[in-house]
């Protein structure tokens, strides 16, 4: 399948491009390189440095490259910033995605795979989180993703778009061979920050809240390997053959780990001591979020290769060791 990967130079997108190639598909990347890295994408993959919200340019790419399916990973994803600068999030995550979908429909490309998030659930009513739980985001980031999900349902019904939206839990880790990995600027995610504290790149790791109603008082999250996520995106292709079909899947391992457990696991994997500072709670952090992903496992045959968070951290550590400063570009 000829697949346009929008945001293919970003963290999850670049891993998906590699998995597409490994599975015999033909990825084409579109990325404006605001957050993406050109060197995260192999030279032999067609690459377009442009905006996804430009119908003329995107329409031309869809036609010339004979694209059959679009995967969309490009979004702003800083929850705190989405609260202080919601315009940016509605513009980039919702309006630009709407333009992309319109351009697809106008050009007869009607298969779509979307990066959604567990942030669409907000504070979940029960755990583990199943897809049918009420979605009630508590910040504009989660809201814009939910808005796109709703738009997809309407487009499937009206225009025969077939789609899958994956609600990611905490994406983590790096390619097994250590050649591509996580490089955000600024970095806000726990695992890379703990690794930086272990190596001395940061002074310490601050634990945001130690008085939660959890076994060790710190927040529980569901860390899932980026290559496991990527494989689900490809496993859904067959289901998108039917016009108007729409699917929502949670992607997480189902095993929660606390912030303290992550710190201990980084110490075990790296053999280094992590300086820790106990800090206040971070606004908007639910105490526990973890997935029931049995729907993806049953319907897509999705297999979780990295079940132990230490194995996920080991890949992040390998990437960090070979690229201590991240990507060159
Ligand atoms: N966290 C922390 N210190 C940090 C960064 C994150 O204690 O410097 C905690 C955060 O409060 C949350 C968990 O680590 O409970 C995962 O945070 P991250 O930002 O990686 O992902 P999120 O779950 O917010 O999407």
């Amino acid at each position: 399948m000829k697949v346009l990967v929008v945001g293919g130079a970003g963290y999850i997108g670049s891993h998906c491009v590699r998995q597409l190639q490994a599975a015999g598909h033909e990825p084409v990347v579109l990325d404006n390189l605001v957050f993406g890295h050109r060197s995260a994408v192999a030279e032999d993959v067609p690459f377009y440095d442009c905006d996804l919200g430009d119908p003329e340019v995107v329409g031309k790419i869809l036609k010339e490259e004979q694209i059959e399916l679009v995967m969309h990973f490009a979004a702003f994803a800083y929850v705190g910033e989405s609260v202080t600068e919601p315009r940016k999030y509605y513009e980039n995550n919702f309006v630009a995605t709407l333009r992309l979908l319109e351009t697809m429909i106008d050009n007869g490309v009607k298969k779509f795979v979307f990066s959604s998030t567990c942030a669409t659930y907000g504070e979940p009513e029960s755990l583990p989180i199943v897809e049918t739980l009420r979605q009630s985001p508590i910040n504009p980031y989660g809201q814009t993703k939910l808005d796109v999900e709703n738009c997809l349902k309407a487009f499937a019904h009206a225009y025969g778009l077939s789609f899958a939206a994956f609600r990611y839990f905490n994406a983590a880790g790096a390619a097994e061979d250590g050649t591509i990995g996580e490089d955000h600027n600024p970095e806000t995610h726990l695992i890379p920050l703990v690794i930086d504290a272990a190596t001395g790149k940061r002074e310490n790791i601050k634990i945001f809240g130690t008085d939660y109603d959890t076994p060790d008082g710190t927040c529980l999250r569901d860390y899932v390997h980026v290559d496991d996520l990527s494989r689900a995106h490809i496993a859904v292709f067959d289901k998108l053959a039917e016009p108007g079909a729409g699917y929502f899947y949670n992607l997480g391992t189902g095993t929660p780990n606390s912030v303290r457990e992550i710190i201990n696991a980084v110490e075990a994997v790296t053999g280094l001591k992590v300086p820790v500072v106990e800090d206040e709670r971070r606004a908007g952090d639910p105490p526990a979020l973890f997935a029931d992903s049995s729907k993806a496992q049953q319907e897509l045959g999705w297999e979780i290769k990295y079940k132990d968070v230490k194995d996920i951290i080991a890949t992040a550590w390998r990437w960090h060791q070979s690229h201590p400063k991240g990507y060159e570009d």
Side-chain angles (χ1 to χ4, degrees), residues 20 69 103 110 129 138 150 157 177 207 244 247 254 275 289 291 301 316:
L20 281 163
L69 181 148
T103 310
K110 295 194 175 180
I129 297 173
I138 55 169
N150 287 328
H157 178 75
D177 65 4
I207 301 183
Y247 303 93
L289 292 172

Side-chain angles (χ1 to χ4, degrees), residues 1-4 65-70 109-111:
M1 185 111 70
K2 201 93 192 265
V3 180
L4 182 66
E65 294 282 0
Q66 298 183 306
I67 297 296
E68 297 160 81
L69 181 148
V70 175
V109 180
K110 295 194 175 180
K111 292 178 183 168

Side-chain angles (χ1 to χ4, degrees), residues 249-312:
Y249 295 105
N250 286 340
L251 295 180
T253 65
T255 307
N257 283 107
S258 72
V259 176
R260 284 197 205 279
E261 282 171 339
I262 294 297
I263 294 168
N264 293 340
V266 168
E267 289 188 335
V269 168
T270 62
L272 299 168
K273 185 92 195 107
V274 177
V276 170
V277 171
E278 296 187 358
D279 203 354
E280 296 299 307
R281 291 183 179 197
R282 184 172 70 177
D285 268 342
L289 292 172
F290 52 98
D292 178 333
S293 294
S294 47
K295 188 178 174 209
Q297 292 176 53
Q298 280 157 20
E299 292 188 11
L300 307 178
W302 183 52
E303 284 177 18
I304 302 164
K305 190 173 151 201
Y306 298 87
K307 293 205 171 93
D308 184 336
V309 82
K310 281 206 195 83
D311 295 336
I312 298 178

Side-chain angles (χ1 to χ4, degrees), residues 170 188-190 193 206-208 219 221 223 282 285:
N170 291 57
T188 58
H189 293 123
L190 183 65
L193 291 178
K206 292 190 172 61
I207 301 183
F208 296 149
C219 286
R221 292 290 181 274
Y223 298 88
R282 184 172 70 177
D285 268 342

Side-chain angles (χ1 to χ4, degrees), residues 177-204:
D177 65 4
T179 52
I180 58 172
E182 187 168 14
D183 179 3
H184 295 113
N185 186 18
E187 187 55 79
T188 58
H189 293 123
L190 183 65
I191 291 175
L193 291 178
V194 176
I195 289 177
D196 283 348
T199 59
K201 195 167 156 194
R202 295 172 62 85
E203 225 173 283
N204 54 51

